[in-house]
Amino acid sequence: SQKIEQNSEALNIQEGKTATLTCNYTNYSPAYLQWYRQDPGRGPVFLLLIRENEKEKRKERLKVTFDTTLKQSLFHITASQPADSATYLCALGGSTLGRLYFGRGTQLTVWP
Amino acid sequence: DGGITQSPKYLFRKEGQNVTLSCEQNLNHDAMYWYRQDPGQGLRLIYYSQIVNDFQKGDIAEGYSVSREKKESFPLTVTSAQKNPTAFYLCASSIGGHNSPLHFGNGTRLTVT
């Protein structure tokens, strides 16, 4: 069956450290992967998109990797801050999929 | 400012009543979507529309209905046939195409008792 798994439901790290979130998938062949941030009681906000032919993408303190052999994407937040505390969702997409498929999300807490 | 507006933020209904959730966008996006989010679960697609006057069922369409009479509007009706309607409902839009990022509204939390 098709699955999208995001590492542990909750991740707690100290301010200033690098947070690493994982998104693993099985039985999908996505052409791209998107990451979203969701704050409590609000809708997700798009952060980054990475295509299957891209190994890495960066945006300010964010870095995303995409390994189609391992069927995994890693999402890094460097120099994390308490304001980065939120739930982060990965989503797979592509023409063969027809639409986006979302993981359950990882709740990140950055403590001072 | 462009964006997606969902109203109301909180909605309470009695079991057996139909209820319609509003979603309006002024982003000039062609595609619109409805998702349901439950605690501990990912976003599940209810319905989506890629163009006016056309829409398709998602993964959990049973007990829901939609219309897309205008580009800006994509209302969702939760019918009495939906067995577990209490949830957080999210509307989204995109310019269309398979890799387009979604722009989400801030959701409607529906409670049915």
mmCIF file of all heavy atoms in Angstrom, chain B residues 56-101:
data_model
loop_
_atom_site.group_PDB
_atom_site.id
_atom_site.type_symbol
_atom_site.label_atom_id
_atom_site.label_comp_id
_atom_site.label_asym_id
_atom_site.label_seq_id
_atom_site.Cartn_x
_atom_site.Cartn_y
_atom_site.Cartn_z
ATOM 1 N N GLN B 56 -14.077 17.115 -9.105
ATOM 2 C CA GLN B 56 -13.850 15.675 -8.980
ATOM 3 C C GLN B 56 -13.829 15.267 -7.518
ATOM 4 O O GLN B 56 -13.449 16.050 -6.644
ATOM 5 C CB GLN B 56 -12.486 15.278 -9.598
ATOM 6 C CG GLN B 56 -12.437 15.324 -11.105
ATOM 7 C CD GLN B 56 -12.255 16.729 -11.612
ATOM 8 O OE1 GLN B 56 -11.508 17.500 -11.045
ATOM 9 N NE2 GLN B 56 -12.954 17.062 -12.693
ATOM 10 N N LYS B 57 -14.211 14.042 -7.267
ATOM 11 C CA LYS B 57 -14.159 13.500 -5.922
ATOM 12 C C LYS B 57 -12.709 13.223 -5.535
ATOM 13 O O LYS B 57 -11.910 12.791 -6.352
ATOM 14 C CB LYS B 57 -14.954 12.191 -5.841
ATOM 15 C CG LYS B 57 -16.439 12.365 -6.017
ATOM 16 C CD LYS B 57 -17.154 11.025 -5.896
ATOM 17 C CE LYS B 57 -18.655 11.203 -6.055
ATOM 18 N NZ LYS B 57 -19.372 9.902 -5.953
ATOM 19 N N GLY B 58 -12.443 13.458 -4.250
ATOM 20 C CA GLY B 58 -11.153 13.084 -3.697
ATOM 21 C C GLY B 58 -11.260 11.732 -3.022
ATOM 22 O O GLY B 58 -12.041 10.879 -3.440
ATOM 23 N N ASP B 59 -10.505 11.564 -1.951
ATOM 24 C CA ASP B 59 -10.445 10.264 -1.282
ATOM 25 C C ASP B 59 -11.616 9.993 -0.349
ATOM 26 O O ASP B 59 -11.920 8.843 -0.051
ATOM 27 C CB ASP B 59 -9.144 10.181 -0.464
ATOM 28 C CG ASP B 59 -7.925 10.329 -1.346
ATOM 29 O OD1 ASP B 59 -7.942 9.787 -2.472
ATOM 30 O OD2 ASP B 59 -6.962 10.992 -0.917
ATOM 31 N N ILE B 60 -12.254 11.058 0.139
ATOM 32 C CA ILE B 60 -13.308 10.869 1.149
ATOM 33 C C ILE B 60 -14.536 11.713 0.815
ATOM 34 O O ILE B 60 -15.056 12.436 1.647
ATOM 35 C CB ILE B 60 -12.783 11.195 2.571
ATOM 36 C CG1 ILE B 60 -12.190 12.610 2.627
ATOM 37 C CG2 ILE B 60 -11.752 10.183 3.023
ATOM 38 C CD1 ILE B 60 -11.980 13.119 4.038
ATOM 39 N N ALA B 61 -15.040 11.608 -0.400
ATOM 40 C CA ALA B 61 -16.136 12.471 -0.857
ATOM 41 C C ALA B 61 -17.504 12.084 -0.295
ATOM 42 O O ALA B 61 -18.443 12.902 -0.327
ATOM 43 C CB ALA B 61 -16.186 12.467 -2.373
ATOM 44 N N GLU B 62 -17.643 10.885 0.215
ATOM 45 C CA GLU B 62 -18.974 10.440 0.650
ATOM 46 C C GLU B 62 -19.508 11.318 1.777
ATOM 47 O O GLU B 62 -18.832 11.561 2.774
ATOM 48 C CB GLU B 62 -18.907 8.990 1.127
ATOM 49 C CG GLU B 62 -20.263 8.421 1.477
ATOM 50 C CD GLU B 62 -20.193 6.944 1.845
ATOM 51 O OE1 GLU B 62 -19.142 6.323 1.632
ATOM 52 O OE2 GLU B 62 -21.204 6.429 2.357
ATOM 53 N N GLY B 63 -20.749 11.791 1.596
ATOM 54 C CA GLY B 63 -21.367 12.635 2.602
ATOM 55 C C GLY B 63 -21.103 14.112 2.415
ATOM 56 O O GLY B 63 -21.529 14.925 3.233
ATOM 57 N N TYR B 64 -20.395 14.456 1.349
ATOM 58 C CA TYR B 64 -20.088 15.854 1.031
ATOM 59 C C TYR B 64 -20.560 16.190 -0.383
ATOM 60 O O TYR B 64 -20.673 15.312 -1.224
ATOM 61 C CB TYR B 64 -18.579 16.113 1.098
ATOM 62 C CG TYR B 64 -17.938 15.858 2.435
ATOM 63 C CD1 TYR B 64 -17.282 14.652 2.690
ATOM 64 C CD2 TYR B 64 -17.964 16.816 3.442
ATOM 65 C CE1 TYR B 64 -16.678 14.400 3.912
ATOM 66 C CE2 TYR B 64 -17.363 16.581 4.665
ATOM 67 C CZ TYR B 64 -16.715 15.365 4.889
ATOM 68 O OH TYR B 64 -16.112 15.138 6.114
ATOM 69 N N SER B 65 -20.809 17.472 -0.620
ATOM 70 C CA SER B 65 -21.092 17.939 -1.975
ATOM 71 C C SER B 65 -20.483 19.316 -2.163
ATOM 72 O O SER B 65 -20.257 20.045 -1.188
ATOM 73 C CB SER B 65 -22.602 17.969 -2.256
ATOM 74 O OG SER B 65 -23.234 18.944 -1.447
ATOM 75 N N VAL B 66 -20.181 19.649 -3.415
ATOM 76 C CA VAL B 66 -19.584 20.950 -3.734
ATOM 77 C C VAL B 66 -20.225 21.522 -4.988
ATOM 78 O O VAL B 66 -20.941 20.828 -5.717
ATOM 79 C CB VAL B 66 -18.055 20.836 -3.969
ATOM 80 C CG1 VAL B 66 -17.317 20.450 -2.695
ATOM 81 C CG2 VAL B 66 -17.749 19.867 -5.109
ATOM 82 N N SER B 67 -19.943 22.784 -5.238
ATOM 83 C CA SER B 67 -20.304 23.422 -6.494
ATOM 84 C C SER B 67 -19.188 24.374 -6.866
ATOM 85 O O SER B 67 -18.450 24.844 -6.007
ATOM 86 C CB SER B 67 -21.638 24.153 -6.378
ATOM 87 O OG SER B 67 -21.537 25.217 -5.427
ATOM 88 N N ARG B 68 -19.067 24.664 -8.152
ATOM 89 C CA ARG B 68 -18.041 25.629 -8.608
ATOM 90 C C ARG B 68 -18.672 26.446 -9.742
ATOM 91 O O ARG B 68 -18.348 26.315 -10.916
ATOM 92 C CB ARG B 68 -16.796 24.897 -9.107
ATOM 93 C CG ARG B 68 -15.664 25.850 -9.451
ATOM 94 C CD ARG B 68 -14.819 26.215 -8.292
ATOM 95 N NE ARG B 68 -13.853 27.247 -8.550
ATOM 96 C CZ ARG B 68 -12.653 27.054 -9.105
ATOM 97 N NH1 ARG B 68 -12.297 25.826 -9.513
ATOM 98 N NH2 ARG B 68 -11.824 28.069 -9.261
ATOM 99 N N GLU B 69 -19.555 27.330 -9.328
ATOM 100 C CA GLU B 69 -20.265 28.163 -10.295
ATOM 101 C C GLU B 69 -19.469 29.410 -10.661
ATOM 102 O O GLU B 69 -19.680 30.012 -11.718
ATOM 103 C CB GLU B 69 -21.636 28.534 -9.739
ATOM 104 C CG GLU B 69 -22.537 27.327 -9.527
ATOM 105 C CD GLU B 69 -23.860 27.695 -8.884
ATOM 106 O OE1 GLU B 69 -24.091 28.896 -8.637
ATOM 107 O OE2 GLU B 69 -24.666 26.783 -8.625
ATOM 108 N N LYS B 70 -18.586 29.811 -9.768
ATOM 109 C CA LYS B 70 -17.725 30.968 -10.011
ATOM 110 C C LYS B 70 -16.281 30.596 -9.731
ATOM 111 O O LYS B 70 -16.002 29.753 -8.876
ATOM 112 C CB LYS B 70 -18.139 32.130 -9.095
ATOM 113 C CG LYS B 70 -19.533 32.647 -9.302
ATOM 114 C CD LYS B 70 -19.767 33.904 -8.472
ATOM 115 C CE LYS B 70 -19.599 33.654 -6.999
ATOM 116 N NZ LYS B 70 -19.867 34.875 -6.187
ATOM 117 N N LYS B 71 -15.377 31.254 -10.405
ATOM 118 C CA LYS B 71 -13.959 30.960 -10.222
ATOM 119 C C LYS B 71 -13.525 31.223 -8.788
ATOM 120 O O LYS B 71 -12.678 30.535 -8.242
ATOM 121 C CB LYS B 71 -13.139 31.820 -11.181
ATOM 122 C CG LYS B 71 -11.663 31.492 -11.238
ATOM 123 C CD LYS B 71 -10.976 32.315 -12.315
ATOM 124 C CE LYS B 71 -9.531 31.893 -12.471
ATOM 125 N NZ LYS B 71 -8.865 32.646 -13.572
ATOM 126 N N GLU B 72 -14.117 32.241 -8.170
ATOM 127 C CA GLU B 72 -13.675 32.678 -6.857
ATOM 128 C C GLU B 72 -14.213 31.837 -5.714
ATOM 129 O O GLU B 72 -13.742 31.933 -4.594
ATOM 130 C CB GLU B 72 -14.107 34.124 -6.605
ATOM 131 C CG GLU B 72 -13.730 35.119 -7.687
ATOM 132 C CD GLU B 72 -14.656 35.060 -8.880
ATOM 133 O OE1 GLU B 72 -15.870 34.870 -8.701
ATOM 134 O OE2 GLU B 72 -14.154 35.184 -10.018
ATOM 135 N N SER B 73 -15.232 31.022 -5.958
ATOM 136 C CA SER B 73 -15.976 30.420 -4.865
ATOM 137 C C SER B 73 -16.083 28.897 -5.018
ATOM 138 O O SER B 73 -16.339 28.392 -6.125
ATOM 139 C CB SER B 73 -17.377 31.033 -4.830
ATOM 140 O OG SER B 73 -18.149 30.480 -3.801
ATOM 141 N N PHE B 74 -15.927 28.194 -3.900
ATOM 142 C CA PHE B 74 -15.992 26.730 -3.924
ATOM 143 C C PHE B 74 -16.594 26.258 -2.602
ATOM 144 O O PHE B 74 -15.913 25.719 -1.746
ATOM 145 C CB PHE B 74 -14.581 26.168 -4.127
ATOM 146 C CG PHE B 74 -14.510 24.694 -4.451
ATOM 147 C CD1 PHE B 74 -15.426 24.092 -5.304
ATOM 148 C CD2 PHE B 74 -13.490 23.900 -3.931
ATOM 149 C CE1 PHE B 74 -15.345 22.740 -5.629
ATOM 150 C CE2 PHE B 74 -13.393 22.546 -4.238
ATOM 151 C CZ PHE B 74 -14.323 21.974 -5.089
ATOM 152 N N PRO B 75 -17.898 26.427 -2.428
ATOM 153 C CA PRO B 75 -18.515 26.046 -1.155
ATOM 154 C C PRO B 75 -18.633 24.536 -0.983
ATOM 155 O O PRO B 75 -18.834 23.803 -1.956
ATOM 156 C CB PRO B 75 -19.902 26.696 -1.232
ATOM 157 C CG PRO B 75 -20.164 26.836 -2.697
ATOM 158 C CD PRO B 75 -18.836 27.066 -3.348
ATOM 159 N N LEU B 76 -18.506 24.101 0.251
ATOM 160 C CA LEU B 76 -18.601 22.682 0.605
ATOM 161 C C LEU B 76 -19.820 22.472 1.491
ATOM 162 O O LEU B 76 -19.967 23.161 2.513
ATOM 163 C CB LEU B 76 -17.349 22.247 1.359
ATOM 164 C CG LEU B 76 -17.362 20.827 1.955
ATOM 165 C CD1 LEU B 76 -17.194 19.783 0.842
ATOM 166 C CD2 LEU B 76 -16.246 20.659 2.988
ATOM 167 N N THR B 77 -20.673 21.531 1.128
ATOM 168 C CA THR B 77 -21.819 21.179 1.962
ATOM 169 C C THR B 77 -21.544 19.844 2.642
ATOM 170 O O THR B 77 -21.224 18.859 1.967
ATOM 171 C CB THR B 77 -23.105 21.105 1.152
ATOM 172 O OG1 THR B 77 -23.394 22.409 0.620
ATOM 173 C CG2 THR B 77 -24.279 20.659 2.029
ATOM 174 N N VAL B 78 -21.645 19.863 3.948
ATOM 175 C CA VAL B 78 -21.513 18.642 4.733
ATOM 176 C C VAL B 78 -22.937 18.147 4.977
ATOM 177 O O VAL B 78 -23.731 18.831 5.648
ATOM 178 C CB VAL B 78 -20.792 18.911 6.066
ATOM 179 C CG1 VAL B 78 -20.583 17.613 6.828
ATOM 180 C CG2 VAL B 78 -19.464 19.616 5.816
ATOM 181 N N THR B 79 -23.273 17.031 4.418
ATOM 182 C CA THR B 79 -24.644 16.559 4.509
ATOM 183 C C THR B 79 -24.833 15.668 5.731
ATOM 184 O O THR B 79 -23.858 15.227 6.365
ATOM 185 C CB THR B 79 -25.054 15.782 3.252
ATOM 186 O OG1 THR B 79 -24.431 14.492 3.272
ATOM 187 C CG2 THR B 79 -24.652 16.534 1.988
ATOM 188 N N SER B 80 -26.074 15.370 6.004
ATOM 189 C CA SER B 80 -26.397 14.509 7.149
ATOM 190 C C SER B 80 -25.913 13.077 6.915
ATOM 191 O O SER B 80 -25.855 12.280 7.846
ATOM 192 C CB SER B 80 -27.896 14.538 7.414
ATOM 193 O OG SER B 80 -28.616 14.156 6.261
ATOM 194 N N ALA B 81 -25.533 12.776 5.684
ATOM 195 C CA ALA B 81 -25.036 11.432 5.371
ATOM 196 C C ALA B 81 -23.585 11.225 5.802
ATOM 197 O O ALA B 81 -23.108 10.088 5.858
ATOM 198 C CB ALA B 81 -25.139 11.175 3.865
ATOM 199 N N GLN B 82 -22.908 12.313 6.128
ATOM 200 C CA GLN B 82 -21.512 12.205 6.576
ATOM 201 C C GLN B 82 -21.522 11.713 8.027
ATOM 202 O O GLN B 82 -22.028 12.393 8.928
ATOM 203 C CB GLN B 82 -20.806 13.560 6.458
ATOM 204 C CG GLN B 82 -19.449 13.667 7.145
ATOM 205 C CD GLN B 82 -18.472 12.557 6.817
ATOM 206 O OE1 GLN B 82 -17.919 11.903 7.693
ATOM 207 N NE2 GLN B 82 -18.276 12.310 5.542
ATOM 208 N N LYS B 83 -20.906 10.552 8.243
ATOM 209 C CA LYS B 83 -21.037 9.894 9.547
ATOM 210 C C LYS B 83 -20.237 10.566 10.662
ATOM 211 O O LYS B 83 -20.641 10.526 11.825
ATOM 212 C CB LYS B 83 -20.618 8.438 9.410
ATOM 213 C CG LYS B 83 -21.547 7.630 8.508
ATOM 214 C CD LYS B 83 -21.088 6.202 8.336
ATOM 215 C CE LYS B 83 -22.009 5.456 7.390
ATOM 216 N NZ LYS B 83 -21.534 4.081 7.100
ATOM 217 N N ASN B 84 -19.110 11.129 10.344
ATOM 218 C CA ASN B 84 -18.270 11.780 11.359
ATOM 219 C C ASN B 84 -17.887 13.179 10.887
ATOM 220 O O ASN B 84 -16.752 13.422 10.514
ATOM 221 C CB ASN B 84 -17.006 10.958 11.613
ATOM 222 C CG ASN B 84 -17.310 9.596 12.192
ATOM 223 O OD1 ASN B 84 -17.852 9.474 13.281
ATOM 224 N ND2 ASN B 84 -16.957 8.558 11.451
ATOM 225 N N PRO B 85 -18.820 14.102 10.899
ATOM 226 C CA PRO B 85 -18.555 15.411 10.305
ATOM 227 C C PRO B 85 -17.699 16.341 11.147
ATOM 228 O O PRO B 85 -17.152 17.305 10.611
ATOM 229 C CB PRO B 85 -19.958 15.996 10.121
ATOM 230 C CG PRO B 85 -20.767 15.333 11.186
ATOM 231 C CD PRO B 85 -20.217 13.943 11.335
ATOM 232 N N THR B 86 -17.581 16.087 12.423
ATOM 233 C CA THR B 86 -16.799 16.978 13.278
ATOM 234 C C THR B 86 -15.335 16.905 12.880
ATOM 235 O O THR B 86 -14.717 15.838 12.964
ATOM 236 C CB THR B 86 -16.981 16.604 14.758
ATOM 237 O OG1 THR B 86 -18.338 16.829 15.129
ATOM 238 C CG2 THR B 86 -16.059 17.426 15.640
ATOM 239 N N ALA B 87 -14.784 18.036 12.442
ATOM 240 C CA ALA B 87 -13.402 18.059 11.955
ATOM 241 C C ALA B 87 -13.012 19.500 11.641
ATOM 242 O O ALA B 87 -13.817 20.423 11.723
ATOM 243 C CB ALA B 87 -13.246 17.205 10.693
ATOM 244 N N PHE B 88 -11.745 19.654 11.268
ATOM 245 C CA PHE B 88 -11.207 20.930 10.811
ATOM 246 C C PHE B 88 -11.152 20.870 9.285
ATOM 247 O O PHE B 88 -10.513 19.982 8.713
ATOM 248 C CB PHE B 88 -9.807 21.119 11.416
ATOM 249 C CG PHE B 88 -9.185 22.460 11.194
ATOM 250 C CD1 PHE B 88 -9.888 23.630 11.449
ATOM 251 C CD2 PHE B 88 -7.879 22.571 10.733
ATOM 252 C CE1 PHE B 88 -9.303 24.875 11.270
ATOM 253 C CE2 PHE B 88 -7.276 23.811 10.552
ATOM 254 C CZ PHE B 88 -8.002 24.964 10.816
ATOM 255 N N TYR B 89 -11.838 21.793 8.625
ATOM 256 C CA TYR B 89 -11.930 21.773 7.168
ATOM 257 C C TYR B 89 -11.099 22.904 6.576
ATOM 258 O O TYR B 89 -11.224 24.067 6.965
ATOM 259 C CB TYR B 89 -13.395 21.918 6.725
ATOM 260 C CG TYR B 89 -14.211 20.695 7.056
ATOM 261 C CD1 TYR B 89 -14.854 20.585 8.292
ATOM 262 C CD2 TYR B 89 -14.319 19.645 6.149
ATOM 263 C CE1 TYR B 89 -15.596 19.458 8.604
ATOM 264 C CE2 TYR B 89 -15.054 18.515 6.453
ATOM 265 C CZ TYR B 89 -15.684 18.429 7.681
ATOM 266 O OH TYR B 89 -16.416 17.300 7.983
ATOM 267 N N LEU B 90 -10.283 22.539 5.618
ATOM 268 C CA LEU B 90 -9.374 23.486 4.978
ATOM 269 C C LEU B 90 -9.660 23.592 3.493
ATOM 270 O O LEU B 90 -9.787 22.585 2.798
ATOM 271 C CB LEU B 90 -7.923 23.051 5.171
ATOM 272 C CG LEU B 90 -7.353 23.223 6.577
ATOM 273 C CD1 LEU B 90 -6.133 22.343 6.778
ATOM 274 C CD2 LEU B 90 -6.993 24.683 6.818
ATOM 275 N N CYS B 91 -9.753 24.812 3.023
ATOM 276 C CA CYS B 91 -9.913 25.093 1.601
ATOM 277 C C CYS B 91 -8.578 25.592 1.066
ATOM 278 O O CYS B 91 -7.830 26.284 1.779
ATOM 279 C CB CYS B 91 -10.997 26.143 1.400
ATOM 280 S SG CYS B 91 -11.289 26.614 -0.314
ATOM 281 N N ALA B 92 -8.256 25.252 -0.164
ATOM 282 C CA ALA B 92 -7.004 25.689 -0.766
ATOM 283 C C ALA B 92 -7.227 26.012 -2.233
ATOM 284 O O ALA B 92 -8.217 25.580 -2.839
ATOM 285 C CB ALA B 92 -5.930 24.609 -0.620
ATOM 286 N N SER B 93 -6.298 26.757 -2.795
ATOM 287 C CA SER B 93 -6.343 27.038 -4.223
ATOM 288 C C SER B 93 -4.932 26.983 -4.776
ATOM 289 O O SER B 93 -3.942 27.073 -4.039
ATOM 290 C CB SER B 93 -6.974 28.403 -4.496
ATOM 291 O OG SER B 93 -6.103 29.451 -4.095
ATOM 292 N N SER B 94 -4.841 26.846 -6.099
ATOM 293 C CA SER B 94 -3.546 26.891 -6.759
ATOM 294 C C SER B 94 -3.766 27.372 -8.188
ATOM 295 O O SER B 94 -4.880 27.370 -8.701
ATOM 296 C CB SER B 94 -2.860 25.525 -6.764
ATOM 297 O OG SER B 94 -3.474 24.660 -7.694
ATOM 298 N N ILE B 95 -2.676 27.766 -8.835
ATOM 299 C CA ILE B 95 -2.804 28.245 -10.206
ATOM 300 C C ILE B 95 -3.132 27.094 -11.151
ATOM 301 O O ILE B 95 -3.540 27.304 -12.287
ATOM 302 C CB ILE B 95 -1.518 28.948 -10.684
ATOM 303 C CG1 ILE B 95 -0.320 27.995 -10.640
ATOM 304 C CG2 ILE B 95 -1.253 30.192 -9.858
ATOM 305 C CD1 ILE B 95 0.934 28.571 -11.251
ATOM 306 N N GLY B 96 -3.000 25.879 -10.656
ATOM 307 C CA GLY B 96 -3.262 24.713 -11.483
ATOM 308 C C GLY B 96 -1.959 24.063 -11.889
ATOM 309 O O GLY B 96 -0.891 24.627 -11.697
ATOM 310 N N GLY B 97 -2.030 22.885 -12.408
ATOM 311 C CA GLY B 97 -0.796 22.173 -12.730
ATOM 312 C C GLY B 97 -0.376 21.316 -11.564
ATOM 313 O O GLY B 97 -0.675 21.620 -10.415
ATOM 314 N N HIS B 98 0.355 20.278 -11.879
ATOM 315 C CA HIS B 98 0.612 19.261 -10.866
ATOM 316 C C HIS B 98 1.624 19.678 -9.817
ATOM 317 O O HIS B 98 1.683 19.089 -8.759
ATOM 318 C CB HIS B 98 1.080 17.978 -11.556
ATOM 319 C CG HIS B 98 0.032 17.397 -12.451
ATOM 320 N ND1 HIS B 98 -1.119 16.840 -11.960
ATOM 321 C CD2 HIS B 98 -0.066 17.322 -13.787
ATOM 322 C CE1 HIS B 98 -1.866 16.425 -12.976
ATOM 323 N NE2 HIS B 98 -1.254 16.706 -14.092
ATOM 324 N N ASN B 99 2.440 20.674 -10.084
ATOM 325 C CA ASN B 99 3.449 21.033 -9.093
ATOM 326 C C ASN B 99 3.184 22.376 -8.439
ATOM 327 O O ASN B 99 4.038 22.921 -7.767
ATOM 328 C CB ASN B 99 4.836 21.044 -9.727
ATOM 329 C CG ASN B 99 4.951 22.112 -10.805
ATOM 330 O OD1 ASN B 99 3.950 22.654 -11.254
ATOM 331 N ND2 ASN B 99 6.156 22.424 -11.219
ATOM 332 N N SER B 100 1.999 22.892 -8.617
ATOM 333 C CA SER B 100 1.700 24.214 -8.065
ATOM 334 C C SER B 100 1.515 24.139 -6.568
ATOM 335 O O SER B 100 0.758 23.310 -6.072
ATOM 336 C CB SER B 100 0.428 24.766 -8.697
ATOM 337 O OG SER B 100 0.533 24.841 -10.079
ATOM 338 N N PRO B 101 2.162 25.015 -5.823
ATOM 339 C CA PRO B 101 1.933 25.054 -4.378
ATOM 340 C C PRO B 101 0.489 25.420 -4.073
ATOM 341 O O PRO B 101 -0.162 26.143 -4.833
ATOM 342 C CB PRO B 101 2.883 26.168 -3.908
ATOM 343 C CG PRO B 101 3.896 26.296 -4.980
ATOM 344 C CD PRO B 101 3.197 25.968 -6.261
#
